[in-house]
Amino acid sequence: MRNDSPTLSDPLETLGLDPAQTALYTAVLRLHRATLAELAEAMDGPADKVSRQLDDLVRLGVVDEHSGEYLARHPAAALGRLIAERLDRLAEESRRIDSALGSIRSLIRDYDAGRDYQNGPFPVELVSGADVLYESVVGIAVQSPRMEVLTAIPDDRTMLDFARKYADQWIDAQRRDLLTFRAVIPVSTLPLPGVRDQLSRLMETGGRVRTLDRVPSWFLTAGAGAAGLPAQWGGNLPDHAYNFYLIRAPIVVGVMRSLFEELWGRAVPLPWGRRGDGMVQVIRLAAQGMCDESIARQLGVSVRTVRARFADAMAELGAQSRFHAGVEAARRGWLGQ
């Protein structure tokens, strides 16, 4: 009978260890200190092959060799270094992707030049002022109610202006079912005055918000027919007196929507609302050194509930341990609210 279930790959392959190296590393861990002959016997393999694999493990930094004996390094330190190197490579790849995204405008200009030559130019409108921004988007929404607005906000100043001056307008537009709102914002903006309250109100009326460590630039899409782009990629609205280009071209809107969805997929939901507050509470109390039983007494819930909230938090944060969850929660601004 054919087995159609997928075969799971070894998770350590991501860090550069093939299955044979992983098996040998596990043997070294279990013996803790062993000679080549002992490891060859444990692996039931030829000594020369095991020796080459041991050289690879030493080069990777997960095993040490002293006077003919092989000693396993603690997995947290050894694999942690490999994970850090992998994360550095991913961060560099992300920077290259951001750079490529920043070049899209020049590609768009080339495309537009050919399109203009064939069909004439598409409309580009210079919008000046935050009120005109709102009116322009709502004007589009009136013609297509429940229009989806997607926006990326890269800086503290724009978020402060949103919280102090402009949030009410967008919240009111959602209440009137003119539009729905999704935003990606920097995690560093969460502790700013008024931001949490206004984002909570925005989400109560149907909006959705996620955070990233860094957002590459401000931009906006209004449905499938219009996109807002800054005067300079990487810029924000206040620094340019809320002047930006409103472009009504499907190709541009499609590119910007694809960029937003890429950022949205990499971003993290806000830990607010009843379930999120419970996750934050247990992580905060654990960070103070409290055990599960003490946390349960403090919150007036069962120990089982405390452990379930920890599991939810670890899943939300992509953490492999409670300690890792605490580090990620602090990094993403959960504990500073």
Side-chain angles (χ1 to χ4, degrees), residues 198-210:
Q198 294 291 39
L199 290 181
S200 296
R201 293 178 60 221
L202 185 76
M203 291 188 291
E204 287 169 2
T205 56
R208 298 166 64 193
V209 182
R210 292 186 179 182

Side-chain angles (χ1 to χ4, degrees), residues 247-311:
I247 303 174
R248 300 173 187 269
I251 182 64
V252 177
V253 178
V255 168
M256 303 319 297
R257 287 178 65 90
S258 296
L259 171 56
F260 180 88
E261 295 297 348
E262 172 66 22
L263 297 176
W264 184 261
R266 291 158 47 188
V268 178
L270 297 180
W272 301 340
R274 188 171 181 179
R275 176 173 174 269
D277 285 341
M279 293 189 296
V280 172
Q281 285 175 334
V282 296
I283 291 179
R284 281 179 173 167
L285 294 175
Q288 298 170 20
M290 296 177 65
C291 65
D292 289 357
E293 290 75 11
S294 298
I295 294 173
R297 287 194 296 271
Q298 176 82 10
L299 299 179
V301 298
S302 68
V303 173
R304 183 176 179 179
T305 297
V306 169
R307 290 170 180 165
R309 290 179 181 178
F310 266 119

Side-chain angles (χ1 to χ4, degrees), residues 16-38:
L17 276 72
D18 62 32
Q21 291 169 336
T22 298
L24 179 56
Y25 178 50
T26 301
V28 177
L29 289 174
R30 290 172 177 169
L31 294 172
H32 192 64
R33 183 189 296 272
T35 64
L36 172 60
E38 291 169 335

Side-chain angles (χ1 to χ4, degrees), residues 13-77:
E13 285 190 68
T14 303
L15 304 181
L17 276 72
D18 62 32
Q21 291 169 336
T22 298
L24 179 56
Y25 178 50
T26 301
V28 177
L29 289 174
R30 290 172 177 169
L31 294 172
H32 192 64
R33 183 189 296 272
T35 64
L36 172 60
E38 291 169 335
L39 288 167
E41 181 180 357
M43 296 299 295
D44 193 23
D48 57 341
K49 181 178 179 181
V50 173
S51 177
R52 289 194 299 271
Q53 293 173 340
L54 284 168
D55 289 342
D56 291 337
L57 294 180
V58 171
R59 187 176 66 257
L60 287 170
V62 298
V63 169
D64 286 330
E65 190 271 331
H66 294 293
S67 303
E69 288 189 316
Y70 294 89
L71 176 67
R73 292 187 178 181
H74 193 285

Side-chain angles (χ1 to χ4, degrees), residues 155-171:
D155 64 297
D156 291 5
R157 188 176 168 191
T158 303
M159 282 304 298
L160 277 173
D161 281 355
F162 169 82
R164 293 170 178 170
K165 304 175 186 178
Y166 307 119
D168 291 342
Q169 299 176 15
W170 295 105
I171 292 168

Side-chain angles (χ1 to χ4, degrees), residues 8 53 69 89 119 132-133 140 145 149 157 221 231 254 258 309:
L8 297 178
Q53 293 173 340
E69 288 189 316
R89 291 196 295 272
N119 304 313
V132 179
L133 162 61
I140 299 170
V149 173
R157 188 176 168 191
T221 67
S258 296
R309 290 179 181 178

Side-chain angles (χ1 to χ4, degrees), residues 109-122:
R109 284 195 296 270
D110 291 339
Y111 177 90
D112 292 345
R115 188 174 187 274
D116 292 349
Y117 177 77
Q118 294 293 333
N119 304 313
F122 56 75

